[in-house]
Amino acid sequence: MLKRILVLALLGPVLALAQAAEPAGKLSAEATIKHAIESRMAGIKVESVAKTPYLGLYEVRLDGEILYTDEKMTYIFSGNIIDAKTMQNITEKRLRDLTAIKWENLPLEGAFKTVRGNGKRMLAIFSDPNCPYCKRFEKDLAKVDDVTIYTFLYPILSQDSHEKSKAIWCSADKAKAWSELMLNGTVPTAGSCDTPIESNLALGHKYRVNGTPTLIFANGERVPGAISAVQIEKQFAQSAK
């Protein structure tokens, strides 16, 4: 990304010349910024450009990230904008909103279900059976009650991950096989059956799930990485609001 930012910083003079050559009002600032970036950087796709309500900056979304620039692209900013009054990380919140996945859009038939207690709280997880962070997370998740967990087998680390995922899905009790593997290291016996693994990989690619574990709460909020039982409870409380 740093290389991209350095290249983008050089686009300021180019953009100024382009604007001078265009008839006044022909392109909006958003369209001009988008065109300048895409035309000068092969293979880069700008998802959107939008003016922010602060400092006259424009938000540029590309490759699942957010950059900021002024109208003439004199400078490119990469980093977090924080509201000095509330100390809220505006960039972080914006990314959470942009990466949210509507619960109703999750194909839950491609996940196996684990129910604890009354099962009222909902959580979906993209997880790789060989991921050490996933194993750590499962130990914390085991402390959380009254939850229904949908686990999408998402083997992105190795072919062995794929084989273990297949063995888990083909087990008579998927949830038990998963728990035994992640908590106790017991590898399930290989089986043969149709699995949703390829569909899960396509789903993760669609939603840019680039690491495991990735958590999706009922309100659509996505949380990447292993979090503690206390943090899980806080997310459930936030989701309930």
Side-chain angles (χ1 to χ4, degrees), residues 31-235:
T32 302
I33 291 170
K34 182 177 187 296
H35 175 73
I37 294 174
E38 291 184 340
S39 64
R40 302 297 296 183
M41 296 183 68
I44 291 296
K45 177 66 176 177
V46 175
E47 298 171 22
S48 67
V49 178
K51 189 171 185 179
T52 73
Y54 33 85
L55 302 176
L57 295 177
Y58 286 78
E59 173 194 282
V60 180
R61 289 180 57 205
L62 67 164
D63 290 346
E65 299 181 62
I66 290 178
L67 299 177
Y68 299 99
T69 186
D70 58 299
E71 184 173 351
K72 294 185 178 181
M73 283 186 63
T74 309
Y75 300 100
I76 302 292
F77 302 90
S78 175
N80 295 318
I81 293 179
I82 298 173
D83 188 316
K85 291 183 179 179
T86 64
M87 296 308 295
Q88 180 186 44
N89 189 321
I90 295 172
T91 305
E92 185 178 89
K93 182 180 183 303
R94 178 69 172 148
L95 280 171
R96 287 202 306 269
D97 292 342
L98 291 171
T99 60
I101 301 174
K102 291 183 179 179
W103 185 266
E104 57 268 27
N105 289 344
L106 288 173
L108 299 180
E109 67 277 4
F112 65 83
K113 182 167 69 172
T114 305
V115 181
R116 297 183 189 142
N118 61 30
K120 289 184 178 180
R121 302 183 296 181
M122 301 292 178
L123 175 65
I125 308 167
F126 286 81
S127 195
D128 185 303
N130 282 334
C131 164
Y133 301 105
C134 299
K135 293 176 181 179
R136 188 182 77 189
F137 172 73
E138 289 292 335
K139 291 179 180 178
D140 282 305
L141 185 59
K143 304 171 187 176
V144 178
D145 201 8
D146 296 334
V147 59
T148 296
I149 305 160
Y150 292 91
T151 303
F152 288 88
L153 295 168
Y154 195 60
I156 57 175
L157 294 179
S158 67
Q159 181 59 34
D160 183 64
S161 294
H162 195 285
E163 294 302 322
K164 286 177 180 175
S165 295
K166 182 178 179 181
I168 290 164
W169 187 265
C170 295
S171 298
D173 188 333
K174 300 177 180 63
K176 182 179 179 181
W178 176 257
S179 179
E180 286 294 321
L181 174 62
M182 302 304 278
L183 300 181
N184 302 322
T186 304
V187 179
T189 303
S192 179
C193 68
D194 292 330
T195 77
I197 293 173
E198 294 304 322
S199 296
N200 290 352
L201 291 171
L203 178 70
H205 179 73
K206 172 184 176 182
Y207 287 120
R208 290 179 174 167
V209 177
N210 298 320
T212 54
T214 292
L215 287 55
I216 311 296
F217 288 83
N219 64 348
E221 184 165 350
R222 175 199 311 220
V223 177
I227 60 176
S228 68
V230 172
Q231 291 172 309
I232 295 170
E233 291 291 353
K234 287 182 179 179
Q235 286 296 144

